[in-house]
Amino acid sequence: MSFGQQGGPQSQWDPWKPHSQQPWNSGGDSRTPDWAALAEASESRNKRRRLLFIGGGALATVGIAAAVAVAVVSANGDEASNKPTAQLPATADIPSGSTGPAPSFEPTSAPPPLDPNDFIASAKKDTAPLSPETLFPGSQLTLGETLYKKGPTADTKDCSSAALKTLPKILDANGCTRLMRVTYVNGGVAVTVGVAVFDTEAQATKAKGQTDDKSIVKALSGKGVKPFCNAAVCRTTRNSNGRYAYFTVTGFTSGKDVTTKDTKVFATDDDLQRFTFDQIRRRGETQASAAAQAG
């Protein structure tokens, strides 16, 4: 039996295709493969595959770049950002934040506030109405949690007549023009406040400086308040504010002597001292405010 060549075209062997036949050289019956032809065919196929790979990679790169560009434009969203620089308005066409010169203001300064002390330092400026009722208004006084009922009041231009021991001489020597008194009571403790008026702060300060423990204002009784501090030991104080010197005398309406253990007496005296100082101060503030509003 012999193997002859079949009719029809010879099949081409492709190593990448299954069941393809390998080419054989035409010479002899040795059936030896044509190795040169096989190498040439393999090289040709590899070259085509490289070209296809490079071309496909380039197309993929172009596609990714285009997608990124579209994403950037979509993210910006501003129509002006998609225009070339030449299409944007010139700097001179863009309106600025300010279209005119900045406003200017003349430098001003508020006048200094008026000092209340100036109004209570001299009779020339301290011209508001003055009486026991203006300094000590109402029929009672509440300081903290303590209620003090207002008793009698007195007002005299003869200052020495309402003072005791060393005080009359001091008041007269320094030009006291008026002495007003008021009494407050809480339980069995009463206090009289005496306010001596001078023309100037210097006179009041000098008078206060000359006083001593024996410089006492007369206790004022009546109007439901029993006499007190006529012969008993009482607490006394003296101070000044502006053109006013003020004095207190505090004790028991029962006539009992005051000792250092009688804290209620000391608390009552301290309350009324503080209130008197504040009332004189308030007098100055009221007049300073009125003068400021009047211009």
Side-chain angles (χ1 to χ4, degrees):
M1 182 181 291
S2 64
F3 294 92
Q5 189 174 18
Q6 297 181 357
Q10 297 180 351
S11 63
Q12 298 293 324
W13 174 72
D14 189 343
W16 304 102
K17 295 181 180 179
H19 308 297
S20 63
Q21 297 180 358
Q22 297 181 359
W24 305 95
N25 61 7
S26 58
D29 294 331
S30 62
R31 305 292 181 178
T32 301
D34 187 351
W35 296 111
L38 290 175
E40 183 178 355
S42 178
E43 178 63 25
S44 177
R45 282 191 299 272
N46 290 337
K47 184 181 296 184
R48 287 197 303 270
R49 292 179 64 197
R50 285 196 298 269
L51 290 175
L52 288 173
F53 179 77
I54 294 172
L59 290 174
T61 302
V62 172
I64 293 172
V68 172
V70 171
V72 171
V73 172
S74 300
N76 288 341
D78 189 355
E79 184 180 354
S81 65
N82 298 327
K83 295 182 179 180
T85 305
Q87 297 183 22
L88 294 176
T91 304
D93 298 333
I94 300 175
S96 62
S98 177
T99 58
S104 60
F105 301 95
E106 293 294 330
T108 60
S109 60
L114 300 178
D115 188 354
N117 292 325
D118 291 342
F119 289 85
I120 58 174
S122 171
K124 292 181 179 180
K125 296 190 71 172
D126 186 14
T127 58
L130 178 62
S131 70
E133 292 301 325
T134 59
L135 279 181
F136 306 100
S139 60
Q140 60 186 25
L141 175 64
T142 301
L143 297 177
E145 298 180 354
T146 305
L147 174 65
Y148 297 98
K149 293 183 178 180
K150 185 178 176 182
T153 61
D155 187 7
T156 180
K157 293 182 179 179
D158 185 3
C159 298
S160 60
S161 65
L164 297 173
K165 299 186 176 182
T166 61
L167 186 56
K169 183 178 180 180
I170 294 172
L171 295 178
D172 289 342
N174 288 283
C176 177
T177 61
R178 189 175 184 180
L179 182 57
M180 298 174 290
R181 289 179 296 164
V182 61
T183 295
Y184 288 93
V185 62
N186 173 252
V189 177
V191 53
T192 293
V193 181
V195 180
V197 184
F198 299 84
D199 287 338
T200 66
E201 181 177 11
Q203 290 174 308
T205 302
K206 184 179 178 181
K208 185 260 178 183
Q210 292 175 348
T211 59
D212 55 27
D213 291 341
K214 295 181 179 181
S215 301
I216 304 171
V217 67
K218 285 183 179 179
L220 182 63
S221 59
K223 200 177 178 179
V225 179
K226 296 180 180 179
F228 64 101
C229 296
N230 290 333
V233 176
C234 293
R235 190 195 187 198
T236 63
T237 65
R238 62 260 187 203
N239 209 335
S240 67
N241 186 12
R243 69 187 188 107
Y244 303 91
Y246 57 95
F247 310 85
T248 64
V249 54
T250 309
F252 293 106
T253 56
S254 63
K256 184 177 68 171
D257 289 342
V258 173
T259 68
T260 56
K261 296 181 180 181
D262 295 318
T263 57
K264 184 177 180 179
V265 172
F266 285 82
T268 298
D269 193 276
D270 290 344
D271 279 350
L272 269 299
Q273 279 191 78
R274 192 160 43 247
F275 178 72
T276 302
F277 179 91
D278 290 342
Q279 285 297 94
I280 297 171
R281 170 75 179 182
R282 191 171 293 113
R283 177 178 174 84
E285 291 173 346
T286 301
Q287 293 182 90
S289 177
Q293 292 179 6

